[in-house]
Amino acid sequence: MPSKEPGNNRDVLFTYRRTIRFHETDAAGVVYFANILTLCHEAYEAALADAGINTREFFGGMALAVPVVHASVDFRRPLHCGDEVEIALTPHRLNETTFEIRYCLKGAAEKTVATALTRHVCIDSTSRQRHPLSPELEQWMQSATPSLPND
């Protein structure tokens, strides 16, 4: 269930909460390692939708595509079926065509269970060449950038 993060951490754009399901676990009873990235992508989709971006259009063959070109995960604690997980995500614009999203996954007692990063490049869907981020992604990136206090 998506919700906005309280204002105490201005870098966090969006926090997504949900329960781990049995099909996401492996034979040892913990979340299968690749499913951590699936959870992160689910939070990314929820954050885009929360920002008013039509995800059907965004992921459904628009003129621009935004593929993941790099992903990494660091694991700290296991997640099990029935555990509640909170995924805080923070996007950062790297240049006119590239951004990354940092994820912090927390379980019981607000303990970090994993951190992850995905890097995305905006490309023209036809030519497959780099393209500046769309205005809606630019706006989404700006909403994640804390405003500086006035002097």
Side-chain angles (χ1 to χ4, degrees):
M1 161 184 231
S3 67
K4 289 288 186 186
E5 180 71 5
N8 59 359
N9 183 350
R10 295 175 62 184
D11 281 347
V12 171
L13 174 67
F14 187 80
T15 300
Y16 182 73
R17 292 174 182 85
R18 75 184 244 356
T19 303
I20 299 300
R21 293 175 179 84
F22 174 71
H23 74 273
E24 295 165 326
T25 62
D26 61 17
V30 299
V31 170
Y32 180 65
F33 75 96
N35 284 338
I36 294 296
L37 287 173
T38 300
L39 294 170
C40 291
H41 203 280
E42 188 177 307
Y44 167 49
E45 291 176 41
L48 291 174
D50 184 69
I53 295 173
N54 182 322
T55 55
R56 181 178 182 153
E57 290 176 8
F58 186 84
F59 293 111
M62 292 185 356
L64 298 178
V66 190
V68 173
V69 296
H70 172 79
S72 63
V73 180
D74 290 313
F75 303 94
R76 298 210 170 97
R77 291 175 178 79
L79 281 170
H80 301 90
C81 179
D83 286 351
E84 295 292 321
V85 65
E86 175 182 284
I87 305 165
L89 65 89
T90 307
H92 295 282
R93 184 181 190 270
L94 300 178
N95 58 46
E96 72 172 0
T97 65
T98 309
F99 67 96
E100 65 184 24
I101 304 172
R102 295 180 185 273
Y103 305 86
C104 181
L105 292 82
K106 291 187 177 187
E110 296 288 312
K111 295 202 181 230
T112 299
V113 296
T115 56
L117 178 135
T118 56
R119 191 166 300 124
H120 308 249
V121 174
C122 185
I123 61 171
D124 179 281
S125 295
T126 304
S127 71
R128 309 310 269 179
Q129 298 299 308
R130 287 179 182 249
H131 188 280
L133 297 176
S134 68
E136 62 190 357
L137 274 177
E138 284 287 359
Q139 183 176 352
W140 188 63
M141 292 287 124
Q142 289 174 4
S143 70
T145 304
S147 57
L148 297 174
N150 294 332
D151 290 322

